[in-house]
Amino acid sequence: MKNILILSGSPRAKGNSDVLCDEFMRGAREVGHNVEKIRVHGKKIAYCHACYYCRDHQGECVIKDDMAEILQKILNADVIVMASPVYFYSVDAQMKTLIDRTVARWLDIKNKEFYYIMTAAEDTETVMDTTLACFRGAADCYESSIERGVLYAKGVYEKGEIFDTAYMQQAYEMGKNV
């Protein structure tokens, strides 16, 4: 049994990438894993000030918001699922802000398994390349991180379009196979 933390970057509750997070969670729970999903949009996470207070204060951030709790959950997780719609060929602002704020404890984030879920309106071969590069870039900074799976959900724009696609089953199966 693993502790799984899903970081849903979708600014839309029940948006396409958020729904895929729910399917991943359903699959993972069915096989007995502990799963928690955090909707990043619903949390108060300020931008990093690059003041490096954290460096001199054992990873404590000068900003007092929801990030300290989220960061502790990241540290406690065995598996981290990062999900985002594609915005201008990258992750959305909510997810990028969260990634940047991990700087306070980035040296403590070790031995994590990563899964990435991305959704995009566009259906081209390269639409998710830089989004995935952003996720992978973050994981590359964390010691001994391992990529376990990527879900590319293309051609879904309007909220709810994801329901009639094979991506739902793919997310569910990915969760079951953690």
Side-chain angles (χ1 to χ4, degrees):
M1 179 175 61
K2 294 183 179 180
N3 291 317
I4 301 171
L5 179 64
I6 299 174
L7 300 169
S8 176
S10 177
R12 299 187 296 186
K14 301 300 177 191
N16 294 320
S17 57
D18 192 49
V19 168
L20 291 177
C21 288
D22 290 342
E23 283 301 293
F24 185 104
M25 181 167 50
R26 186 170 70 89
R29 282 185 173 160
E30 272 188 21
V31 295
H33 296 296
N34 293 320
V35 186
E36 179 178 0
K37 180 180 92 169
I38 295 174
R39 284 201 62 250
V40 178
H41 181 76
K43 297 296 184 179
K44 290 182 173 52
I45 304 173
Y47 304 113
C48 178
H49 296 174
C51 66
Y52 298 106
Y53 179 91
C54 56
R55 180 184 54 206
D56 301 323
H57 292 87
Q58 293 76 45
E60 179 186 345
C61 184
V62 71
I63 303 167
K64 304 304 175 206
D65 60 9
D66 293 334
M67 192 59 201
E69 178 185 349
I70 294 168
L71 199 45
Q72 190 57 53
K73 290 178 184 211
I74 289 170
L75 292 168
N76 294 339
D78 302 306
V79 176
I80 299 169
V81 178
M82 301 176 88
S84 178
V86 173
Y87 280 18
F88 294 94
Y89 301 104
S90 191
V91 297
D92 66 17
Q94 293 86 349
M95 182 59 70
K96 182 61 169 104
T97 301
L98 182 142
I99 290 169
D100 289 349
R101 287 289 301 285
T102 65
V103 72
R105 304 278 308 271
W106 72 278
L107 291 173
D108 299 326
I109 302 172
K110 300 176 182 178
N111 305 309
K112 305 297 179 193
E113 296 177 22
F114 284 89
Y115 291 83
Y116 309 118
I117 296 172
M118 300 168 293
T119 59
E122 195 175 311
D123 192 11
T124 63
E125 188 175 318
T126 61
V127 67
M128 296 180 175
D129 290 356
T130 52
T131 309
L132 183 57
C134 183
F135 281 144
R136 285 177 171 164
D140 283 347
C141 293
Y142 312 135
E143 186 179 320
S144 300
S145 65
I146 300 168
E147 182 178 306
R148 294 287 189 204
V150 179
L151 177 54
Y152 303 89
K154 300 176 184 180
V156 291
Y157 178 64
E158 296 297 332
K159 186 175 180 179
E161 282 185 326
I162 200 74
F163 287 111
D164 295 326
T165 69
Y167 302 129
M168 297 288 285
Q169 185 67 27
Q170 290 172 19
Y172 169 76
E173 292 296 329
M174 190 181 288
K176 272 185 78 168
N177 293 314
V178 168

